[in-house]
Amino acid sequence: VLALVSARSCPKPIKGEKKKRWPVPLLGELCDSSGVWISTVGRMEIVHVYTKLRSEFGRQCLLSDRPAELLVDVPPDPSLALQFIQKTPRDQALQACRDMSEHQVNTERFESDSCGINHVEGGWPKDVNPQEVEQTIRFRKKVEKDESYINSILQLGSVMEHCIRQNNAVDIYQVYFEEEEEVEEAPDAPSAKTINVFRDPNEVKRTVTGLSWHPDGGRKLAAAYSCLEFQKTSKDMSLDSYIWDIENPNRPEMTLKPASSLICLDYNPKDPHTLVGGCYNGQIAYWDTRRGSQPVEVSSVEQSHRDPVYKIIWLQSKTGTDTFSASTDGQVLWWDVRRLSEPTERLVLDLSREGNLDRALGAISLEFESTMPTKFMVGTEQGVVVSCNRKAKTPAEKIVCTYDSHHGPVYALQRNPFFPKNFLTVGDWTARIWSEDIKESSIMWTRYQMSYLTDACWSPVRPSVFFTVKMDGVLDVWDILFKQNEPTLSLKVCDEALYSLRVQDNGRLVACGSQQGGATLLEISSGLSTLQKNEKSLLAAMFERETKREKILEARQRELRLKERSRSEQSREEDVGREDGEDSPDQLISRAQKDFYSVVETELRRRRDREDQENRVRTH
Amino acid sequence: MAEVEETLKRIQSQKGVQGIIIVNSEGIPIKTTLDNSSTVQYAGLIHQLVMKARSTVRDIDPQNDLTFLRVRSKKNEIMIAPDKDYFLIVIQNPSD
């Protein structure tokens, strides 16, 4: 018989039941006559008493015997033996040894922090207070009287004297041949080594889509993280971007918290504390690093871009607060960071000069050179580079000319810092160098590479060196004075695609950002980052030569076209050459058909003749 | 007692010697010819260095022991003679 009783009340004997009374502790444990304990936790006031005979708590198992039953009988089938071949003897290897398994373990990244230790005078015995001068003097005097002290000092003294005299006898660091000039070292082979890798601290890794060096000495690197793949952003993807101190790769120095992930950002070259960034949702945000991680001001959503802002650059102005941004919605907007509620100017990249947004080309890169403040260039998704003049009177005149550059989006666009008339574009599988005057084609270009090029920039110290990054994780350094058909140095930085690249102003440090959020910092060998003799003049001569070549080709093309036009005006007959571009598709098809049938017929005829000949030979 | 003084005076009179410190095994400077703050700094830092050097030598070969330690720097040379209970530190500038 079991009974659950309240913890507070004493168990009262229930009528008609004889059971042993056990002491009831506070927790309300109870035991019945057959020795089963039930315990209740907590103090319950409500009482419900169950009574049931123990023997009724479920039936016991009743087992019974029964005879053996045959379930399955499979007799041997000798015919199956024919499918097997007897093979004796058979080699079987056996090794009597302990089973071992191999397991690799990699410890977690150990974060170390440097800090100094303050050595305070210590080691004093408990009874001596180091602050008390008298006590310390007394202690010292006591030690000096010690026998072992005297002995050891005498011994150490003699050893020490030997070394001192040794030092005085010969100066082992004496410099011989001080007046000789230093031998010119042979230029070391081009190389680059990775210094640090700054990894995205978040769980979900985002691509490093934008990088910007701190303008003052380049001790800090700002990196913009976002996920540009369509619909690949997950809810728990962090929106933060970071500023890294290049000495400390463990932790970002500062976090920037925009409302939507940043695609690009730029440090203000005049004021190293301010940054401006373009967001995935089209807004522009302005930060002051002294004021914390939140943007000081964000542009209003209605007036901003309708597509992600792919590039934003600070402009040269008296106030130092102007910037402009470009996005694939076809607009280039100018902003004053003091008032981001609406752009100061707007340009629609419509080549028909009507300002029609539907026909506008999506902008994906922007170029601005402070030595030429009125001109700027935009690289578009359609592979066209548009050169614009900011100071034009009417919006229609803003677009000056276009260069048909690549088969795909122009991902990078930059003027050569030493020769501003020439600029570098990167898109599809090539990198091309252009001269402003030649609009038909680039003056120099690389071979089609094995993977897509995603970003490029000129070296700020050497006019003939530029860097490119590719989707297979390779960083290429091109020195066009040294080798033009392939990169001077090709480095595999990481296994995933590289999306962004920035060279620091001293030309030695290069940062590239990868798809998994790792920004790698590399140092380029001195050969590639110091100006060589006559480099500028050689490069100028090269650019001139290539430009002249293109000009000549362009002139020839023009001549040919004029001749062609005049010829087709004279005669209506089409030439048997391949120069007709005026044929209609039907005429082409009928001509192709005619050619085909004539070829087939001649072949058949030839075969028949050969057969006849052979028959004649055989019958003879 | 007098021999100790004589030894130290002799060492001090050698060319280029800038200072002498005697430190015991706990890092307490017993005798010094430098000012207090430098003494405390040298005593603390060098004590740790000697401990490390000694343990290094003994780790490589337990039968071996550290007999002398010289730290040559651009400006001077610090020489340390370790003993069981004390060490003698001398700072010398040999080119003077």
Side-chain angles (χ1 to χ4, degrees), chain A residues 63-262:
Chain A
L63 302 168
S64 58
D65 276 334
R66 86 175 192 177
E69 229 178 74
L70 185 62
L71 292 173
V72 174
D73 184 20
V74 182
D77 186 4
S79 63
L80 289 175
L82 298 169
Q83 291 179 7
F84 294 87
I85 302 173
Q86 178 106 341
K87 190 169 178 194
T88 64
R90 203 168 162 277
D91 288 318
Q92 172 75 33
L94 241 165
Q95 184 167 355
C97 74
R98 216 179 290 178
D99 273 334
M100 309 252 253
S101 74
E102 192 184 302
H103 184 61
Q104 277 183 349
V105 170
N106 196 10
T107 55
E108 275 182 20
R109 167 108 69 94
F110 178 69
E111 275 203 28
S112 60
D113 206 4
S114 304
C115 61
I117 298 180
N118 187 19
H119 172 81
V120 174
E121 224 175 301
W124 293 97
K126 274 197 271 269
D127 49 350
V128 177
N129 181 1
Q131 313 296 338
E132 284 277 328
V133 180
E134 272 197 35
Q135 288 188 13
T136 54
I137 290 180
R138 210 184 311 143
F139 179 79
R140 286 201 176 100
K141 283 222 168 61
K142 191 173 67 162
V143 171
E144 281 174 24
K145 292 209 173 64
D146 195 7
E147 186 64 40
S148 68
Y149 171 81
I150 297 173
N151 286 336
S152 55
I153 293 300
L154 288 177
Q155 196 209 355
L156 293 178
S158 55
V159 174
M160 185 60 80
E161 264 187 287
H162 169 78
C163 287
I164 293 177
R165 288 208 195 98
Q166 208 177 50
N167 268 348
N168 285 330
V170 180
D171 181 12
I172 59 174
Y173 292 107
Q174 186 184 7
V175 179
Y176 306 125
F177 313 120
E178 225 177 282
E179 303 85 29
E180 264 195 30
E181 278 170 12
E182 268 190 45
V183 181
E184 267 277 332
E185 283 165 46
D188 40 354
S191 64
K193 63 172 198 257
T194 313
I195 300 186
N196 260 328
V197 181
F198 305 101
R199 291 184 212 281
D200 188 357
N202 302 82
E203 281 293 317
V204 181
K205 306 284 179 201
R206 303 144 308 151
T207 315
V208 181
T209 48
L211 289 166
S212 175
W213 283 98
H214 192 90
D216 223 351
R219 306 223 43 83
K220 296 201 242 202
L221 177 67
Y225 296 83
S226 60
C227 186
L228 280 176
E229 288 171 57
F230 187 59
Q231 294 191 344
K232 281 278 175 70
T233 51
S234 57
K235 278 215 185 28
D236 35 341
M237 194 181 83
S238 153
L239 298 174
D240 299 337
S241 290
Y242 302 105
I243 297 182
W244 298 88
D245 182 345
I246 56 177
E247 308 278 307
N248 183 8
N250 297 322
R251 225 175 309 122
E253 195 188 335
M254 190 165 159
T255 313
L256 301 171
K257 294 188 192 296
S260 142
S261 46
L262 282 182

Side-chain angles (χ1 to χ4, degrees), chain A residues 154 161, chain B residues 1-13:
Chain A
L154 288 177
E161 264 187 287
Chain B
M1 186 56 203
E3 295 118 1
V4 170
E5 292 296 332
E6 205 193 293
T7 310
L8 295 181
K9 221 178 295 209
R10 215 181 31 239
I11 293 178
Q12 182 76 38
S13 63

Side-chain angles (χ1 to χ4, degrees), chain B residues 1-45:
Chain B
M1 186 56 203
E3 295 118 1
V4 170
E5 292 296 332
E6 205 193 293
T7 310
L8 295 181
K9 221 178 295 209
R10 215 181 31 239
I11 293 178
Q12 182 76 38
S13 63
Q14 296 278 358
K15 187 165 85 106
V17 171
Q18 286 172 342
I20 310 177
I21 307 172
I22 301 177
V23 185
N24 81 346
S25 53
E26 269 131 42
I28 304 171
I30 304 292
K31 194 141 180 78
T32 172
T33 61
L34 300 171
D35 58 283
N36 195 34
S37 52
S38 317
T39 304
V40 168
Q41 201 176 24
Y42 269 106
L45 295 169

Side-chain angles (χ1 to χ4, degrees), chain A residues 178-461:
Chain A
E178 225 177 282
E179 303 85 29
E180 264 195 30
E181 278 170 12
E182 268 190 45
V183 181
E184 267 277 332
E185 283 165 46
D188 40 354
S191 64
K193 63 172 198 257
T194 313
I195 300 186
N196 260 328
V197 181
F198 305 101
R199 291 184 212 281
D200 188 357
N202 302 82
E203 281 293 317
V204 181
K205 306 284 179 201
R206 303 144 308 151
T207 315
V208 181
T209 48
L211 289 166
S212 175
W213 283 98
H214 192 90
D216 223 351
R219 306 223 43 83
K220 296 201 242 202
L221 177 67
Y225 296 83
S226 60
C227 186
L228 280 176
E229 288 171 57
F230 187 59
Q231 294 191 344
K232 281 278 175 70
T233 51
S234 57
K235 278 215 185 28
D236 35 341
M237 194 181 83
S238 153
L239 298 174
D240 299 337
S241 290
Y242 302 105
I243 297 182
W244 298 88
D245 182 345
I246 56 177
E247 308 278 307
N248 183 8
N250 297 322
R251 225 175 309 122
E253 195 188 335
M254 190 165 159
T255 313
L256 301 171
K257 294 188 192 296
S260 142
S261 46
L262 282 182
I263 308 241
C264 57
L265 40 63
D266 200 20
Y267 261 106
N268 188 344
K270 298 274 173 60
D271 181 4
H273 294 285
T274 53
L275 292 132
V276 76
C279 298
Y280 190 68
N281 64 357
Q283 285 177 303
I284 311 289
Y286 167 68
W287 274 273
D288 187 334
T289 50
R290 296 166 291 202
R291 302 250 285 257
S293 302
Q294 293 292 333
V296 173
E297 214 185 319
V298 182
S299 65
S300 55
V301 181
E302 307 84 38
Q303 297 293 332
S304 313
H305 292 280
R306 300 265 179 280
D307 261 359
V309 180
Y310 278 97
K311 199 74 198 265
I312 186 160
I313 303 185
W314 285 92
L315 287 170
Q316 274 257 356
S317 71
K318 279 190 284 234
T319 52
T321 54
D322 288 323
T323 124
F324 68 143
S325 62
S327 158
T328 41
D329 64 357
Q331 294 178 70
V332 177
L333 299 175
W334 278 264
W335 306 85
D336 182 333
V337 289
R338 293 169 296 190
R339 207 173 64 97
L340 280 178
S341 49
E342 64 168 10
T344 52
E345 229 182 297
R346 205 183 279 262
L347 171 67
V348 177
L349 288 170
D350 181 13
L351 289 183
S352 58
R353 298 192 171 69
E354 281 171 26
N356 192 346
L357 256 179
D358 294 328
R359 260 186 281 148
L361 305 171
I364 214 162
S365 53
L366 206 53
E367 190 282 327
F368 175 75
E369 178 79 30
S370 35
T371 52
M372 292 213 244
T374 55
K375 290 201 279 194
F376 67 95
M377 291 199 290
V378 185
T380 62
E381 262 190 320
Q382 285 74 9
V384 175
V385 173
V386 184
S387 167
C388 309
N389 183 346
R390 202 179 159 198
K391 290 286 185 271
K393 307 273 182 345
T394 63
E397 279 172 36
K398 284 237 165 106
I399 299 176
V400 170
C401 59
T402 63
Y403 303 84
D404 229 339
S405 45
H406 289 275
H407 304 300
V410 180
Y411 281 112
L413 177 59
Q414 196 189 6
R415 284 188 201 263
N416 188 325
F418 295 83
F419 298 97
K421 287 207 134 211
N422 299 300
F423 58 94
L424 169 72
T425 64
V426 139
D428 61 46
W429 295 269
T430 57
R432 288 175 190 270
I433 301 180
W434 301 74
S435 164
E436 267 190 339
D437 312 318
I438 313 284
K439 310 215 189 335
E440 300 273 317
S441 88
S442 52
I443 59 173
M444 293 172 71
W445 56 91
T446 67
R447 215 189 305 175
Y448 276 92
Q449 307 287 310
M450 294 312 289
S451 52
Y452 220 79
L453 268 73
T454 45
D455 201 356
C457 56
W458 289 101
S459 161
V461 286

